[in-house]
Amino acid sequence: MIAVLAALACAMETPVKPPAPLPPVPSARQLAWHDMEYYAFVHFGPNTFTDREWGEGKEDPKVFAPTELDCRQWVRTFKAAGMSGVIITAKHHDGFCLWPSKYSTHTVAQSSYRGDVLKELSDACREAGLKFGVYVSPWDRNHPTYGTDEYNEVFKNTLREVLTNYGPVFEVWFDGANGEGPNGKKQVYDFPGFHAVVRKLQPQAVMFSDAGPDIRWVGNEAGHSDPTCWSTVDRDRYVPGTPLYAELTQGKEGGTHWVPAECDVSIRPGWFYHASQDDKVKTPDQLVDLWFRSVGQNGSFLLNVPPDRRGLIHEKDVLALLGLRRKLDAIFANDLARTAAASSEDSRGKGFEAANVNDGDPKTYFAASDGAQSATVTLTWPSQQKIEVIELGEAIALGQRVKRFAVDAWNGEVWRGIAEGTTIGRKRLLKVSGTLAKAVRIRIQDSRACPTLSTFRVWQSR
């Protein structure tokens, strides 16, 4: 990502003092996660073969019988689609483990397949340069100790297997579901203990749940955040499985912790593969809309693409994913900001903006003077340009600040408003329908502290 506004410029004789961070701010692991933007979810297990969404844990492991399992085909597809990683359902609620766990008798070792899906997928990810993540459900409808204190230790041991045998893990996905086990009891989960295992064995991994601790559910399974989306929440207000999930879609201005939103959705109506849904795969246009409403609204886009009974990503899913990639490549074809002159009425170092607007360093950013709650930044071209999308981003390492903004276009005679919004966060995308302009400006109208901009890009499609 090329930052188009550079406030802390090396060209200045005296270094400019950066703004003080506005807590809470993201950790290094969270910043790395923000940069991923778009990655795959893979639901795969006995449900694939029983045509169900939630298994009961009583299924014969031998029903898991892929005939052409090829994790490299998955990864080739995801990489060609522009995805940055894969999260797989290593263990769903039925308790079936996609690796030969020593702590369960309901695993691939007892199945018709007898391989190790986690090894195959993690190896394929490393070869292709994609990151590898795991979904491990604490609910287990098969394990005989579920509903007892012993089960928490069993679950920690299964986590240790997953987190030590398959290389680096970028995300551990904890579902908040908590139902009865085979003995009719529910489990009191030791989430602090589970989190401690992850922190010890995979310190760079982020952990997901309704309550974080690192990233949060967006509060729906429709794949989008709200146009107002804060990366902060009052984290202690929530627990996995919280009934307050609707609050998570917007987050909270001034929340106590940085827990940004992950937007999950399936490319099909169900999460697991069902042949009856082969004609119900989301279209590329539908996926583009979700991209703008997730990545383009300060979230990440976690798109579930379930392998079929062969163990392959179905042809129709592949076509949809590659169609999305082509459409995004066309939309973001020409960055007009590269040829623009930049200026601002207020910055921490006068005179630097135009000289460093396109220096290509993502660590540079515009920042207004201390105490300012508003700012205006303008991009100007020698001649009129046709623009379709405005891209904005804050320097989120310093905290999320912007509360309200507007974007205007200059046609050579008058300024006209073309977009407005509330939050920006890491990325905000705004469609402006082929506007003709000689200049575009963003007016940050209200901010929790002096505003920052790491990105101001103007896109022309091909």
Side-chain angles (χ1 to χ4, degrees):
M1 180 66 67
I2 295 176
V4 300
L5 295 174
L8 306 182
C10 297
M12 299 198 60
E13 295 181 3
T14 302
V16 178
K17 183 180 178 181
L22 179 67
V25 296
S27 65
R29 70 174 72 90
Q30 289 171 320
L31 285 171
W33 171 85
H34 274 288
D35 287 342
M36 293 185 66
E37 290 193 340
Y38 168 47
Y39 40 98
F41 214 178
V42 169
H43 279 64
F44 191 47
N47 293 344
T48 307
F49 301 89
T50 60
D51 209 27
R52 302 188 66 176
E53 284 289 295
W54 282 16
E56 296 181 354
K58 300 174 183 178
E59 298 82 9
D60 185 337
K62 288 185 172 55
V63 302
F64 183 76
T67 55
E68 302 175 48
L69 179 59
D70 185 355
C71 291
R72 287 177 175 81
Q73 185 257 358
W74 306 359
V75 170
R76 284 195 303 271
T77 300
F78 299 150
K79 186 170 184 178
M83 292 173 159
S84 55
V86 187
I87 298 173
I88 187 168
T89 53
K91 181 170 85 77
H92 204 252
H93 309 324
D94 55 17
F96 185 82
C97 300
L98 289 178
W99 76 101
S101 176
K102 297 178 182 177
Y103 301 96
S104 175
T105 59
H106 198 51
T107 81
V108 288
Q110 291 79 39
S111 75
S112 301
Y113 180 65
R114 296 182 180 276
D116 185 336
V117 180
L118 296 194
K119 184 177 189 310
E120 293 178 40
L121 180 58
S122 60
D123 287 349
C125 285
R126 276 193 297 276
E127 292 169 9
L130 267 61
K131 294 186 178 182
F132 173 70
V134 291
Y135 167 122
V136 191
S137 173
W139 187 14
D140 194 314
R141 305 182 76 178
N142 175 271
H143 206 283
T145 68
Y146 185 85
T148 71
D149 290 341
E150 182 184 352
Y151 175 76
N152 281 326
E153 298 309 310
V154 169
F155 187 74
K156 291 173 192 175
N157 283 328
T158 62
L159 279 177
R160 292 184 182 103
E161 288 181 325
V162 169
L163 300 178
T164 57
N165 294 329
Y166 303 102
V169 172
F170 84 91
E171 180 170 334
V172 180
W173 214 95
F174 287 126
D175 198 302
N178 185 343
E180 295 179 352
N183 57 12
K185 296 181 180 179
K186 291 187 177 181
Q187 182 72 32
V188 179
Y189 297 139
D190 179 17
F191 273 109
F194 303 162
H195 295 165
V197 172
V198 177
R199 284 286 187 258
K200 179 179 179 180
L201 298 178
Q202 294 283 346
Q204 301 308 312
V206 293
M207 285 181 273
F208 166 97
S209 80
D210 301 2
D214 298 308
I215 57 177
R216 73 180 193 264
W217 184 39
V218 75
N220 63 67
E221 292 183 343
H224 64 84
S225 66
D226 191 87
T228 297
C229 185
W230 293 96
S231 291
T232 53
V233 296
D234 289 341
R235 192 173 68 188
D236 294 343
R237 178 173 167 79
Y238 308 104
V239 295
T242 179
L244 304 173
Y245 60 86
E247 300 177 1
L248 300 173
T249 307
Q250 286 195 354
K252 181 183 178 182
E253 177 187 341
T256 57
H257 291 79
W258 189 276
V259 191
E262 181 179 79
C263 306
D264 60 321
V265 68
S266 185
I267 200 168
R268 292 163 169 260
W271 291 90
F272 286 88
Y273 175 81
H274 308 286
S276 61
Q277 297 177 357
D278 285 349
D279 293 327
K280 298 177 182 177
V281 176
K282 288 181 174 60
T283 66
D285 285 336
Q286 289 174 314
L287 295 174
V288 168
D289 178 67
L290 289 172
W291 171 279
F292 271 80
R293 298 172 68 201
S294 56
V295 174
Q297 289 183 170
N298 193 36
S300 70
F301 188 23
L302 176 59
L303 179 60
N304 181 65
V305 187
D308 61 22
R309 293 183 181 183
R310 296 171 299 175
L312 302 175
I313 304 301
H314 193 275
E315 292 81 358
K316 292 193 175 181
D317 303 64
V318 173
L319 287 174
L321 290 172
L322 298 184
L324 167 63
R325 181 73 265 155
R326 285 192 296 272
K327 285 183 175 290
L328 291 177
D329 287 344
I331 291 168
F332 299 102
N334 186 15
D335 180 8
L336 296 174
R338 290 176 178 272
T339 59
S343 61
S344 175
E345 63 187 21
D346 177 28
S347 65
R348 304 180 77 80
K350 299 296 182 182
F352 66 85
E353 297 93 358
N356 296 279
V357 65
N358 292 320
D359 67 355
D361 184 353
K363 296 180 181 179
T364 57
Y365 53 90
F366 164 87
S369 301
D370 286 337
Q373 291 181 298
S374 61
T376 299
V377 177
T378 304
L379 300 179
T380 305
W381 296 272
S383 59
Q384 197 169 68
Q385 306 291 328
K386 181 181 179 182
I387 60 179
E388 273 100 10
V389 174
I390 304 293
E391 177 183 339
L392 305 171
E394 293 182 70
I396 59 170
L398 299 173
Q400 189 174 352
R401 299 161 181 250
V402 176
K403 298 168 62 175
R404 184 164 51 91
F405 68 90
V407 180
D408 309 316
W410 171 258
N411 64 7
E413 297 181 357
V414 295
W415 286 101
R416 180 174 65 87
I418 57 173
E420 61 184 8
T422 51
T423 54
I424 294 176
R426 182 189 177 275
K427 182 176 285 190
R428 187 69 187 269
L429 298 172
L430 303 154
K431 296 179 182 179
V432 293
S433 303
T435 298
L436 296 176
K438 294 187 69 174
V440 174
R441 70 185 180 190
I442 176 174
R443 290 180 290 117
I444 297 174
Q445 298 162 312
D446 195 9
S447 185
R448 299 181 60 238
C450 65
T452 69
L453 277 179
S454 63
T455 306
F456 186 4
R457 306 175 84 175
V458 179
W459 293 99
Q460 182 184 76
S461 67
R462 64 165 184 263

